[in-house]
Amino acid sequence: MRRRFIPLLAVCAMTAFAASKYDSDEAAIRQRLATYTEARNHGNAHAEALCYTADGDFRAFGPPSRGRAEIEKALVVSASGYIFSLTVESVRFLDSNVAIADAHVVAGPPEHKIDMVGSYVMVKQGGAWLIGAARIARSQAP
């Protein structure tokens, strides 16, 4: 019985380690997207663009914007009362420096809010998690 128990213990320990291996990275990704959301709600397109890698890209309803300068221009909001919410639904790590965060996004002025889905490719650079690419699309009706 003891011989069966030791390998089982080893498997459980490895599983626990694997599950917690990325916990701090996931928290950092969620924090980066919260910072992005805060900047969006304050109408600070420059701060939003700084959440992206220097060569990042953003695509919502038109052609992609590439690089922070283009992203900043694309994220300028002129609508009065514009609100933005981003709820991270899942984070999946492709390796230790790349992850995909899927999110539920709601944006627009109160009378015309749009329900959307967002996929954010997160890249770890210099110890910080940044958005490498963002794809935003309208949610499909059930």
Side-chain angles (χ1 to χ4, degrees):
M1 166 106 171
R2 186 174 182 165
R3 288 184 184 188
R4 290 184 192 161
F5 184 67
I6 292 173
L8 179 61
L9 253 176
V11 168
C12 289
M14 288 181 354
T15 302
F17 174 73
S20 65
K21 179 179 178 183
Y22 293 118
D23 284 354
S24 63
D25 285 316
E26 181 171 341
I29 288 168
R30 289 176 181 274
Q31 182 57 52
R32 173 66 65 196
L33 292 173
T35 299
Y36 177 78
T37 300
E38 184 178 339
R40 189 105 180 108
N41 280 316
H42 285 97
N44 189 341
H46 181 71
E48 287 177 80
L50 290 176
C51 290
Y52 284 79
T53 60
D55 63 346
D57 67 80
F58 168 82
R59 185 172 196 160
F61 302 110
S65 300
R66 292 191 171 88
R68 286 184 178 142
E70 281 187 29
I71 290 169
E72 182 175 343
K73 288 179 190 174
L75 295 176
V76 170
V77 174
S78 59
S80 177
Y82 181 90
I83 59 163
F84 181 84
S85 71
L86 185 155
T87 305
V88 176
E89 295 178 337
S90 67
V91 177
R92 182 170 66 96
F93 288 87
L94 302 179
D95 67 30
S96 60
N97 294 309
V98 180
I100 298 173
D102 288 316
H104 175 241
V105 177
V106 178
E111 65 278 4
H112 296 294
K113 290 188 284 187
I114 302 171
D115 194 46
M116 299 174 282
V117 294
S119 290
Y120 297 86
V121 177
M122 306 299 295
V123 180
K124 192 174 191 179
Q125 292 183 345
W129 283 97
L130 298 168
I131 303 167
R135 298 294 181 266
I136 315 299
R138 288 182 186 259
S139 294
Q140 297 293 323

